[in-house]
Amino acid sequence: MIVTLDRFFPIFDDDEKAENELEARLYEELRRYHDSLLKEVERHYEIAEKARKLGLDPKPYVEIPIARNMAERVEKLLGIEGIAGKIIEYESQGMSRVEICFKIAEDIVTGKFGEFEKEEAIDKAIRTAVAIQTEGVVAAPIEGIAKVKLYRDKDGEFIKIYYAGPIRSAGGTAQVMSVLVADYVRQILKIDRYKPTEEEVLRYCEEIPLYKKVANLQYLPSDEEIRLIVENCPVCIDGEPTEDAEVSGYRNLPRVETNRVRGGMALVIAEGIALKAPKLKKIVDKVKISGWEWLDRLINKGGDESGEKDEESEKKEAVKPKDKYLSDIVAGRPVFSHPSRKGGFRLRYGRARNSGFATIGLHPATMVIAGEFIAIGTQLKVERPGKAGSVVPVTSIEGPTVRLRNGDVVRIGSYEEALRLKDAVERIIDMGEILVNFGDFLENNHPLIPASYCYEWWVQEVEGKIPEGDYRKIGEEEALKLCDDYGVPLHPDHTYLWHDVSANDLRYLRDRIVETGKVEGKYGKSALVMKMDWRAKEVLESLLVEHKVRDGQIVIERWRVLVRCLGLDEDLKVVRDDKESEDGLEFVRKVSGLDVRAKAPSRIGARMGRPEKSKERMMSPAPHMLFPLGEAGGKTRDLKKAIEYTKSYNSVKGEIEVDLPVRVCRSCGKESFYLRCECGELTEQVYICPKCGIRTGEVCERCGGEASAYRRWTINVRELYLKALENLGEREPNGALKGVIGLTSKKKFAERIEKGVLRAKNRVYVFKDGTIRYDMTDIPITHFRPAEIGVSVEKLKELGYEVDYEGRELKDENQIVELKPQDVILSKAAGEYLLRVSKFIDDLLVKFYGLEPFYNAEKPEDLIGQLVIGLAPHTSAGVLGRIIGFADVNGGYAHPYFHAAKRRNCDGDEDCVMLLMDGLLNFSREFLPDKRGGQMDAPLVLTVILDPKEVDGEVHNMDVCERYPLEFYEGTLRCAHPKEFVGVIERVEDRLGDERKYFGLRFTHDTENIALGVKSSAYKTLKSMQDKVKHQMELARKIRAVDEHDVAERVITSHFLPDIIGNLRAFSRQEFRCVNCNEKYRRIPLSGKCRRCGGSLTLTVHEGSITKYLNLSKELAETYNVSNYTRQRIKLIEVETLSLFESELKRQIKIDEFF
Amino acid sequence: MVIKNIDQKTVVAKFALNGYNVHPDAVRLILSSNLNVDRVVEEVCRRCNGSFIITPDEVSQVLKELERRIRSEEAEKPSKVEPRVETGGRAEIRVLKDVTGKSTCRGTVEDFVAYFNSRFEKIAGILRNRVKAIPISSLTKIRAETVEVIGFADNVRELSEEKAVFEVEDKTGRVRVYAEGKVKEQAMELFGDEVVGVVGRLRGRSIIADRIVFPEVPMNGKSKAKRDFSMVFISDIHFGSDTFLKEEWERFVRWINCESGNERMDSLAETVKYIFVAGDVVDGVGIYPDQDKELEILDIYGQYEFAAEQFDKIRKDVKIILSPGNHDAVRQAEPQPALPKEFSSLFSSNVIHVGNPVWVDVEGVKVLMYHGRSLDDIISRIPRLSYEAPQNAMLELLKRRHLAPLYGERSPIAPEKEDYLVIDDIPDIIHSGHVHTYGTAFYRGVFVVNSSTWQSQTEFQKKVNLNPMPGNVAVYQPGGNVYRLRFYSS
């Protein structure tokens, strides 16, 4: 396929005028950027087409088509001719996505795209709706709906949709759209509605909670909600069985085909209709579909019954501690703060150049102090606003405050300082600030909670009131002077956490200072020295006042603001007192006469989710090629073993029996399993009927049964291997050369062994679809410094970057540059792996296809400027990306648009990149597994130019302004809803109308270096579970905001005990496995030997897997204050394991031996 | 166990299978020995690697050695534990079989092999009286119209309305069996882990079954003499649960103490000498997720203390035989030992703690008590069975002579060397619980009872549409009548 620019839409409207010179320049830069991407892609395709034409692959052409936009992706995904044109037509008429879904569905059932059977038309209409709703990116429309059926019984006809597991990837909104569109076409076609029987309703009520138990659901609707949905939904939501679990109550119902749990059904009802009822209601109202009035009842069920809430109670609701994020806690992944606890993460609003879009900004020092469990890219589960986010380093926020073993309290301000002090830390008094952007609150529909008093806020308050100047870092005296001279609030750097202590505590502290304190060295450097007093010290710690402990004295170097706030003068005499206040902050405001603000009114609880990742994708065992070796390759599927294999005593070495396609040469008529026959001509696929044994079409001519595209071949892999080496002119690669046991694709098309040889030589591994993948945690970035990603200014200029983000000529590698939407910054390890991949591709081009090398890369930096495909699991559309640099982190930095195009946010998920040329040369649909979900995670189409309008809408809520206005900060104090600030704080959505969506984005916080911080979480570097738990508990004891007893209890009850019990139950009903051939036995054969190969059998659940956590649980229960109930559970389990794994007779004999 | 009806031909065939010829005198030697033939054959073949014909000399050497080895093995075994005899008043209770204190399970592969071999041996032993079985591996060598085999029947698949196929496995191999018509219906109810006999015709390498022979309890014609005492059967009391029916329980205790105030009831109570409790005495801790939210007593000791207190209110001349269930504080895998000392010592002396299952002889009446974990599996496997009539599911146990004939489902198994779950000794009464419903039946002379519960419907049961029948008590006068008492009125 040759792509030319003119086949694309004009990306820009020429009549649009840029507002200023900078925009004009960026606009021009972007046009050239898109142009160069297209040209490069075109060059790739030309070469790949040439290679594929040789017929050495399953198809003689490149199998990743280019889709220019959503409409084309939909058409290519579903294969309905003409649908793209229609979608574009409706789009140009200004119809919304939702409206288009219904319109297109109507067009399909009314025959605008050809005559279909009623059932087929409904099927296509529903799938199209889901596809449009998901931008044609995810696999849900093809994989998530198993089938649609017009179900007839004696009472008439109704529509049944059979959902499958992959419907999950569609998300709630697209799921409900499928139901709604089905009802819409039902009404057009005048089909009766579904009327469930009482038993069917109860079946749903039993099955959905059961699914929640065996799999997981975000939201479990109550029985009443399920009943309401099932009784009123006019189409039947059915599903394929996805779990092994069976319902036990309502079985063998005539209209429900299975007793097993139907995951797709449960998802659509629970996470679709029940959870998205308000959204559904909006759509219903807009499109005006009748019969959905019952949604109101569903919506009201979930909400508060009391109706109108006053502002005060709403505010309380907004800041109420939530401990949901602590459930399902995993051992070894620490809790960093309990919900809204003093000492936890202090909320600061803002978006750094490397944050936003479901991320969590932390100071690199916090990462270090948190036992190095938090690394860049590590997922944190948080109390609010969302559920989780990836951690990114932000140096322009505050780090943690700790008490050292010598009693000193230090605010750690830098990564280096943290590294220096980390071993001396005795207690973590405060975790530091957490940076969350406004967009994340809006996206999660979470009320704003009071903001920390921070510089961004202060500076807007004092603007115009104080002389111009740089007030970012000011001394105590200046801070007090500003207050006194201009009546402005106290600078946030000098604001302590007064609200965390009581007025009485402050009076106590003041009295101690008055009684025992004195200021030493008044001129020049001075310090307040007071007698050591534990209670006073504790108050100082709670306030986060830095101090030292020397010779039984507390030494406070920054004392002026402190004493002023306590109502003392510089001679430590009481100037003003207040006997009434109870609250510490109130007291301070009264006695100091200063406008002191709340420094940390909102704390956010967090625990570690999954660790960050940057690793090559390996199947297990990891093959070098998709070539079947059967059992001949041994357990490692090694070709080198297979070539020595003899089936029986006198068979030929290397001769193996495997399933491969049946193809026949057009010219010489010889059978082959490859596309090209030995004679040079192409072969054609033929089919063999397994029953009649005749060669036939896809459907058997004789019996009408399904014919098979493959048969059992006897092939000599020794010969094939030697031939491959000869073809390549290569020597045997070192180490194993792994194939697969058998192919799972429909026709069982195999790769050429040559590809395996070259992959093994270059130490790269193939994925199920023929491509080579590299996985990384998604992290966002909108602006970068050339220096931090290892790219030179010259190279950047070559790549089309001419100015920095403020429009200045790019000269210095420390200038901040705005990232172009499709440029990616990979991890260093990714660079090294992709370098090997590039060498493999070059080898392949030269030695296998006989073409010129393409990459010629010698070091990772040589790959800068090369194109990659980004692809997320559950999706079927790749996104074109360009490498512009590498950062030493375990994650992939890319523009939020790029992540959104893959339908990802940055909440801790990972996805992959592959080299574009690898995809074009090696990907084939023929390799994809022939099973539900097989089409997922494969680049079925490629989006070349990314349009922010057509990416996951979540990113449209990301804010892109330079600062949040004063009214925003004030709004947070009354827990305003973030919707109030839509239109006030600029977001991506506000830019979608014109080309400014591509450039000119801003950020509120800078950071020194996007790679500054812990690189690899301690969770990964600590190897044994014992160590992980030990460090986790050590950290729990250190952090003030963490209750270590609760952590121990939760680790035991939500991880260890379920694990032990699960294994214990599994033990006494287990299967057995042959150590030689891996054959499984439900019940052990009487002979105790494998029936197939005579090998010895082994347990699949061992004593070790049961007891591994038992001792750890016991230790935890002994050390920490764990509930009696939990202790007893552990004890009973121990008794049970003893009873199972220790013979009582043996024990008796042992005792006897003593006498 | 020595297999009696083994003839010379079989021994010769056994050797032939291993590729050996054997001298007739050698065969006689083997038959005259008291040792397991298979074991001897195996040992001889191992020793005589490569020799053309096996001589009597070689055999006698092996025999001697084996005898020595067996003697020493037996010496290692502790001497047979005498049945515990509990006497008190006129009551006489003997525990015939119980795993308590005798568990050999160490959880190894060998344990599982030994366990299933024990199951096979025991049930095959029962079947051998009715089926003249030959080893499956010798089927290929035999030319006979009809063949008979014994083994585990599994992998049942329905081929059509009329036809099903399954496989039978004994120690020597496996064979495919086709079943048609009425036999097919029988085959469809095979669970996959029971030992049965198959009588049929050899067709190629498969057998066309004429008959599936279940080990069954034999027709027990002789009517037992009527006794002058009654037994009460209860189970699943769930002390400690917040759904425990306290009032109903107290009403029951008043009745048993002859204080119901109803003359007829009181006179029936007077005849009661024994109470059988088939498990789930307490609700336990950590039995299912979030159980703490449904417990009245969170502490397991507290639960048993409360249980002991309640039992203590029962008049002391009544003996209470108590076995554990899946909610009790013992291992869940069956067979379960009796409650450990720390719990059992809380109870007064008229409470006798036994394992699950247990065979108890009470004044000559044999009672098999089994909690009934496997009933869940059986009821969900056979569509014609339901929780409303649990006694019918129990009949399936008797028919198969095994208490947990489904492996790998919900019933957990502890692989003991001996399979305690085989019903080798036919009881006069079989008593189960677990399913929380009530039902009684007489089956081939055996009184079958499932004894409901003292817990009202739980949240979980509501979800899975299980309607318990709490407070139903069976009173049985051996050889006489069964009374159903209802202490719960909904």
Side-chain angles (χ1 to χ4, degrees), chain A residues 451-494:
Chain A
S452 298
Y453 200 61
C454 58
Y455 180 76
E456 302 89 87
W457 183 352
W458 178 83
V459 79
Q460 293 189 61
E461 281 194 279
V462 302
E463 228 165 31
K465 293 184 187 155
I466 60 171
E468 271 182 42
D470 184 359
Y471 293 101
R472 268 176 302 186
K473 288 267 174 280
I474 57 172
E476 285 197 286
E477 277 159 280
E478 189 180 358
L480 289 172
K481 195 169 177 327
L482 284 176
C483 296
D484 291 334
D485 292 358
Y486 306 103
V488 296
L490 183 61
H491 192 284
D493 280 0
H494 300 282

Side-chain angles (χ1 to χ4, degrees), chain A residues 1070 1083 1086 1091 1128 1131 1144, chain B residues 103 169 192 300-301 407:
Chain A
Q1070 67 179 299
R1083 184 190 65 235
L1086 284 170
R1091 283 201 283 269
Q1128 290 189 352
K1131 204 188 148 204
E1144 289 178 301
Chain B
S103 171
E169 172 184 338
I300 186 74
Y301 295 93
Y407 172 76

Side-chain angles (χ1 to χ4, degrees), chain A residues 202 205-206 209 213 220 223 246 248-252 1061 1064-1072 1082-1088 1091 1097-1099 1101 1103 1124-1125 1128-1129 1131-1132 1135-1146 1148-1149, chain B residues 76 78 99 101-109 112-113 116-117 120 152 154 169-171 174 192-193 285-286 291-292 295 298-301 329-333 337 342 373 380 407-415 460 463-465:
Chain A
L202 292 167
C205 292
E206 181 190 351
K213 217 169 111 187
L220 179 63
D223 285 0
E246 292 194 356
S248 46
Y250 299 90
R251 299 167 63 86
N252 306 322
I1061 292 172
L1064 202 53
R1065 300 291 163 262
F1067 176 83
S1068 36
R1069 48 186 84 150
Q1070 67 179 299
E1071 292 188 339
F1072 302 87
R1082 187 184 63 84
R1083 184 190 65 235
I1084 197 158
L1086 284 170
S1087 63
R1091 283 201 283 269
L1097 298 176
T1098 179
L1099 303 170
V1101 186
E1103 180 183 353
N1124 207 28
Y1125 180 76
Q1128 290 189 352
R1129 287 183 67 187
K1131 204 188 148 204
L1132 288 177
V1135 167
E1136 189 161 355
T1137 49
L1138 277 179
S1139 173
L1140 270 182
F1141 301 118
E1142 259 183 43
S1143 165
E1144 289 178 301
L1145 296 182
K1146 274 272 160 59
Q1148 282 171 2
I1149 289 165
Chain B
E76 262 176 44
V99 73
K102 287 180 280 189
S103 171
T104 58
C105 174
R106 283 178 304 123
T108 60
V109 183
F112 279 97
V113 176
F116 283 109
N117 273 282
F120 175 79
F152 278 103
D154 57 15
E169 172 184 338
D170 70 6
K171 290 184 179 187
R174 280 171 89 81
D193 300 292
V285 298
Q291 190 186 10
D292 43 341
L295 284 178
L298 273 175
D299 182 284
I300 186 74
Y301 295 93
V330 290
R331 76 167 178 213
Q332 295 226 357
E342 50 183 330
R373 197 84 193 268
S380 73
Y407 172 76
E409 303 285 326
R410 271 168 285 188
S411 328
I413 295 290
F460 172 73
K463 273 248 146 86
V464 300
N465 191 28

Side-chain angles (χ1 to χ4, degrees), chain B residues 383-433:
Chain B
R384 67 181 162 81
L385 298 175
S386 76
Y387 283 100
E388 275 99 74
Q391 70 276 22
N392 292 338
M394 293 172 68
L395 304 189
E396 299 298 320
L397 304 179
L398 289 171
K399 186 171 157 191
R400 288 166 175 79
R401 299 286 286 269
H402 200 275
L403 294 169
L406 279 102
Y407 172 76
E409 303 285 326
R410 271 168 285 188
S411 328
I413 295 290
E416 300 289 344
K417 284 215 166 57
E418 182 191 347
D419 187 355
Y420 285 84
L421 298 161
V422 174
I423 309 176
D424 36 13
D425 199 359
I426 298 157
D428 297 308
I429 298 168
I430 177 168
H431 171 207
S432 287

Side-chain angles (χ1 to χ4, degrees), chain B residues 14-54:
Chain B
K14 277 179 194 285
F15 277 105
L17 282 178
N18 286 298
Y20 288 100
N21 298 315
V22 61
H23 193 279
D25 286 344
V27 176
R28 270 189 287 278
L29 260 176
I30 293 174
L31 286 172
S32 63
S33 82
N34 242 1
L35 298 171
N36 181 321
V37 174
D38 285 334
R39 193 163 170 188
V40 177
V41 172
E42 190 194 346
E43 190 65 24
V44 171
C45 292
R46 206 171 57 80
R47 292 293 197 82
C48 310
N49 199 5
S51 51
F52 176 70
I53 190 158
I54 289 166

Side-chain angles (χ1 to χ4, degrees), chain A residues 219-284:
Chain A
Y219 173 74
L220 179 63
S222 68
D223 285 0
E224 293 85 73
E225 285 172 281
I226 296 173
R227 175 177 288 275
L228 189 66
I229 293 167
V230 175
E231 282 180 345
N232 289 291
C233 184
V235 293
C236 173
I237 299 167
D238 204 321
E240 280 191 330
T242 56
E243 312 298 315
D244 287 332
E246 292 194 356
V247 293
S248 46
Y250 299 90
R251 299 167 63 86
N252 306 322
L253 304 182
R255 298 200 296 188
V256 184
E257 282 97 333
T258 177
N259 286 332
R260 280 166 56 197
V261 171
R262 300 163 292 169
M265 173 280 289
L267 282 167
V268 172
I269 290 184
E271 292 185 1
I273 300 178
L275 202 61
K276 300 280 177 196
K279 211 158 194 171
L280 189 55
K281 174 86 170 66
K282 249 192 243 163
I283 300 171
V284 168

